[in-house]
Amino acid sequence: MKALKYTILSILLGGAVSSCNFLDKEPGKLVIDNYFNTPEEANSFLTGVYAALGQSTFYGADYLYLVGGDDLEHYGGTNRSPNSTGLICNNATSSDAAVTGFWYTLYSGINRANIFLENIDRVSKIDAKLKAQYTAEARFLRAFYYFNLVQCWGDVPFRTSSTSDVVGLDAPRVDKQKIYDFIVSEMDEISNETTGGLLTASELNYQPGRISKSAAWGILARVYLFRAGEFHREGRAANADETKTYYEQAAKYAKKVVELGKHTLAKDYWDFFIDLCADRYNSTATESIWEIEFAGNNTSDVKAEGRIGNIIGLAAPDMSSKSTVTGSADPGFGYEFIFATPKLYKLYGTDINAPELADPADEAAKALREKDARYYWNIAPFKYVEDGGKNTGVTGREFYEQAGLDYVLANDKGRSYSYGSKDVLTTAKQVDYARACSKFRREYEADKKDKNSTAINFPALRYSDVLLMLAEAENEVNNGPTADAEAALYAVRERAGLKEALPKMSKGQFLKAVKDERARELCFEYTRHFDLIRWGELVSSMNPLAEEATNGVNSGWKQGPVNVHNYFRISEAYNYFPIPEAEMAVNKAITQNNPGW
């Protein structure tokens, strides 16, 4: 399945990720003058440009600790101490290892792309169309890495040429608007229908490990939406004309994906995620547009594994050392680090036009929650159990509520392991909102699993995200929902099982409906943190949860009395990441950190 193997080049180029300065000489183990002779070498080097995505400092692991905490999800677990790195536990500093590693990984990826673009013309006997495709992919990745830098840090150093000398490398921060202009120009040019080099998703056979036109257009819509909300974290009034232009562009590029007519939603919500976990692409529909690829199970010299499903997923006993335990008896070890908040739980029972979150005990809320196919897939309805704890394999699932047990047994239809009479209800009678993310399920991996390494890809862009971006942008541009906006929102809701006709809504009501739908649809996919920032709602959405967590068991949130309440007491400083102390120590052109850091 895996179209990209992050192996040789990621090893050859990996040294730069841990270097002291992002402008350090790179690559340290490859002599460029002796490379770029054949199309195969060009492809291998391009793989190295992609490889930054899968580093443990990015989607491979640490990105979770950087952006995985918000008003829908939190780091948790019974009596679990706060994570020592990242922003997820509200204890980050400018010397934070995850922040520093992410900064250097992004600049390493940018430098690799610059090297590639400076040397691709040296490749002999390469087909012109293939050369254009490779060039376009490298340009996209460079722009995407810069978008991540702007999202997280705002103004950052900006270079479009590679560095091969370690002398005189001080680089000042550049106005993020200039970098935005570069990002959108690059992505637009390479995805142009007639002159751009990117292939369509169909030309790539809907294998979304490589960048397609659809991926570029979808990410462009995301860029413009975030840019439209920049005034919030800058603490200034919006420029109405400028903001409208950004929303128009977001709508334009999201609509390009829709009008292409090549992407559809999977019939059942869970089909997409089963494909991710089972090492398949788009087996039932063409919903997947871009995935961050991982491969292997830590049994060979190929090191391309990640930790999706392991650090974000259901808890299960470790059976990796038991050679005879396979199949349903080994659903894959998970740490269960990430839990849903009560807010997410309540959103699944909230009516589309409700001004406030529903009381979860309300009968109407219960009925709506159980109708939404996403609820029992995204928020764990059970935990894996091993009868007798003899380390011989999982023997069943313990469900948190009768409705969850009934729903899963009625809707399995071969989509997950069934343990029959071993499926039981928990003995706990008290309401508990503290349930883990269950969106990424290791039980669909190959029979024998490694303890900490998985081959589960990460969904960087799904078609449902594009539809919701279109709905939001159209609503903003037209001062209210258009037919296209309503159709896009309705499509996402209908697939989830919410098939009622949409009521007539004002601009504000429709925006709230889109925000809530993004929560239900995209939770645990690392988009919410940045959504809250661009809406100007990060602090106002996070802080109220601190009080609810402090009430702990009395509020039905058993995570509360441990550490969780502190994770939501963030300040406005969290609208940006801190510039790494290690960078400021060597780059004398950066003299001031972001506000609050």
Side-chain angles (χ1 to χ4, degrees), residues 416-464:
S416 67
Y417 296 123
S418 177
Y419 295 93
S421 61
K422 295 296 184 179
D423 286 329
V424 297
L425 279 174
T426 180
T427 56
K429 301 297 182 183
Q430 206 166 26
V431 173
D432 186 7
Y433 299 138
R435 302 186 189 178
C437 162
S438 58
K439 180 169 268 186
F440 308 105
R441 305 191 182 189
R442 297 194 65 185
E443 64 184 51
Y444 296 100
E445 283 187 289
D447 279 351
K448 199 60 203 163
K449 305 171 180 70
D450 181 68
K451 178 180 180 180
N452 291 325
S453 303
T454 79
I456 299 175
N457 288 359
F458 185 81
L461 183 67
R462 295 196 283 126
Y463 186 53
S464 59

Side-chain angles (χ1 to χ4, degrees), residues 26 98 114 193 233 238 292 344 392 415 434 468 495 535 572:
E26 186 186 10
N114 286 336
E193 289 95 325
R233 65 175 181 173
I292 310 304
L344 179 60
T392 55
R415 67 179 172 89
L468 292 174
R495 193 268 295 272
W535 293 329
E572 294 291 341

